[in-house]
Amino acid sequence: TGFADALTSGAAAIKHEKSVVLFDNTSPSTKQFLAQRSIDAVGGAAVRAVSRAGIHADRNIVGQDRYETGKLVCLNYFQPTETIYIALGTNYPDGLATSVLSAKNDAPLLLSKQSLPPATTSVIQSGFGSKKVYFVSGPALISFAADNLITQL
């Protein structure tokens, strides 16, 4: 379950030249590497890992779940954009492939369930994806109802 925060924070990390820490390795060389960088801990696991390593995070970005954390990443690292990407938040392949495209186009990647969670919907309502919303999972994974909801926003 630890992949979701890495998916949504990947584009932001590229944009702001930050590192994404995906595991809790508190070896001396890892601590030294992280201590020389600006660190934002995204998600509860990252906050705990950085804290256990004794490293100071500039920011801790943690939502109630992966969808809320994705929303907070979007709002903290991106300005409202004409385009957003939405991938299924319970599986990683579509989001992993899309995170690179998201970074290239300076557009956030948000996560969804089969129906849009409130956190994702609120980002769209706040002006993100004003012209293009790309669902990168098939209709079997994200329902047509979610697509219809976007159209109504």
Side-chain angles (χ1 to χ4, degrees), residues 11-33:
I14 291 168
K15 178 179 177 179
H16 294 278
E17 298 180 358
K18 300 243 181 202
S19 299
V20 177
V21 180
L22 301 176
F23 62 97
D24 182 11
N25 177 346
T26 54
S27 70
S29 60
T30 300
K31 287 181 186 181
Q32 182 180 6
F33 176 83

Side-chain angles (χ1 to χ4, degrees), residues 67-127:
Y67 310 101
E68 180 75 21
T69 299
K71 170 188 172 179
L72 295 174
V73 167
C74 178
L75 297 177
N76 276 279
Y77 294 103
F78 292 93
Q79 296 296 317
T81 60
E82 293 182 350
T83 303
I84 60 168
Y85 297 89
I86 299 176
L88 188 67
T90 56
N91 201 350
Y92 72 91
D94 293 329
L96 180 61
T98 305
S99 64
V100 175
L101 185 61
S102 169
K104 180 183 181 301
N105 292 315
D106 196 22
L109 169 63
L110 298 169
L111 301 176
S112 183
K113 303 174 186 179
Q114 189 169 18
S115 60
L116 288 177
T120 301
T121 302
S122 71
V123 170
I124 296 165
Q125 289 172 327
S126 70

